[in-house]
Amino acid sequence: MQNVPFEPAPGPAPHAAHGPGPGACPEDPAGPARPGDPAQEPGPGPVRGSDSRGRILVVDDDPTVAEVLAGYLDRAGYDVERAGDGPGALKRFAVNRPDLVVLDLMLPGMNGFEVCRRMRTYGPVPVIMLTARGDEEDRVLGLETGADDYVTKPFSPRELVLRVASVLRRSRSGAPEQGGAAMRTLTGAGLSLAPGARSVTLDGRVLALTLREFDLLSFFLRHPGRAFAREELMREVWGWDFGDLSTVTVHVRRLRGKIETDPANPRLIRTVWGVGYRCDLPDAGEPS
């Protein structure tokens, strides 16, 4: 890849005594990466035991990008593995299942879309896609492939670390809300959603939802009859005050395709023109 396809977040310059180095970042007081660091070499990160925040697989054919991302994630407390192409990513994924994958779209031999599809055959796993393209078609395709989020290059590594934390937090919590009420089964219009088990059935049939689709449906079922703007859904379901709102649009469309009898004429998740979306439940949809 040409140039440096990421944008380091602003911060104090590194101390002159450290000197420049491949792992040095503007706000990195630790200085350049050292040989043997997980940010410098592929493979498992340091053994952190109970202190680890999770295992992250970074897949990018640009060694500079992979090194910087691995360094930031490592300092944030994650164990990091790296792969430079699709086959290598699938091999590492199968051998040592990560908690989340940061996946570049443009990879040699096999693109990120296909890698994501094959990973999904092993079971649900959070995926954040990286792409150097700004085309909405690519972003939408990434989300429709099953990615939970995407980041367009150039980007701030610190922002990506925050997104990793957000996606992991929601995938582990089972629902955006906390407390006993959040664990109650939600029902309505033939749907039954169990937050604790992260399972959904429609008329007794089990639905296969992505992590983000599950969270979105859970939020709608908790607030039937109320219209939400896409900005509100981005904040309440994704946990961000920033981001491309087409992310919400794509997930609503995918969710309709799985729960609506006629997705082209939705009866459950309706579009409120000039506002956003509203969940209408004919049988009230109160928590059971």
Side-chain angles (χ1 to χ4, degrees), residues 13-51:
H15 195 282
H18 291 146
C25 297
E27 67 273 40
D28 176 14
R34 298 178 300 277
D37 284 349
Q40 187 85 351
E41 298 176 354
V47 177
R48 301 180 186 276
S50 60
D51 294 333

Side-chain angles (χ1 to χ4, degrees), residues 168-188:
L168 278 178
R169 181 173 62 251
R170 292 182 179 273
S171 69
R172 291 166 173 171
S173 67
E177 295 87 354
Q178 299 298 321
M183 292 296 104
R184 294 177 182 172
T185 298
L186 303 171
T187 60

Side-chain angles (χ1 to χ4, degrees), residues 58-244:
V58 174
V59 187
D60 199 306
D61 65 325
D62 187 320
T64 302
V65 174
E67 179 180 323
V68 171
L69 289 182
Y72 271 74
L73 290 166
D74 176 74
R75 286 188 288 275
Y78 299 100
D79 292 341
V80 185
E81 291 190 85
R82 288 165 48 182
D85 55 34
L90 292 174
K91 181 178 180 180
R92 287 185 178 274
F93 184 88
V95 171
N96 199 5
R97 181 77 64 86
D99 297 298
L100 182 143
V101 180
V102 178
L103 178 62
D104 188 27
L105 173 61
M106 302 302 293
L107 293 170
M110 182 187 302
N111 65 37
F113 297 135
E114 182 61 23
V115 174
C116 186
R117 289 191 188 98
R118 297 193 185 191
M119 285 181 176
R120 293 296 186 192
T121 64
Y122 291 92
V125 62
V127 175
I128 297 178
M129 278 194 172
L130 305 179
T131 173
R133 300 178 178 179
D135 295 340
E136 182 177 357
E137 180 179 351
D138 290 322
R139 299 197 300 268
V140 169
L141 182 56
L143 294 170
E144 291 185 336
T145 302
D148 297 274
D149 188 19
Y150 68 87
V151 178
T152 303
K153 299 175 182 180
F155 60 86
S156 162
R158 287 197 298 185
E159 177 185 329
L160 188 137
V161 171
L162 291 175
R163 293 194 180 218
V164 166
S166 173
V167 172
L168 278 178
R169 181 173 62 251
R170 292 182 179 273
S171 69
R172 291 166 173 171
S173 67
E177 295 87 354
Q178 299 298 321
M183 292 296 104
R184 294 177 182 172
T185 298
L186 303 171
T187 60
L191 290 163
S192 179
L193 182 147
R198 291 196 69 86
S199 65
V200 183
T201 61
L202 176 61
D203 296 329
R205 175 174 55 90
V206 177
L207 298 181
L209 302 184
T210 66
L211 296 169
R212 211 54 100 170
E213 290 166 358
F214 184 95
D215 288 345
L216 183 60
L217 179 59
S218 175
F219 184 80
F220 276 132
L221 291 178
R222 293 180 191 281
H223 304 89
R226 177 180 170 185
F228 291 93
R230 292 189 301 169
E231 293 86 351
E232 291 180 280
L233 293 171
M234 178 72 76
R235 181 173 61 253
E236 297 296 333
V237 178
W238 276 258
W240 309 327
D241 290 317
F242 55 87
D244 190 336

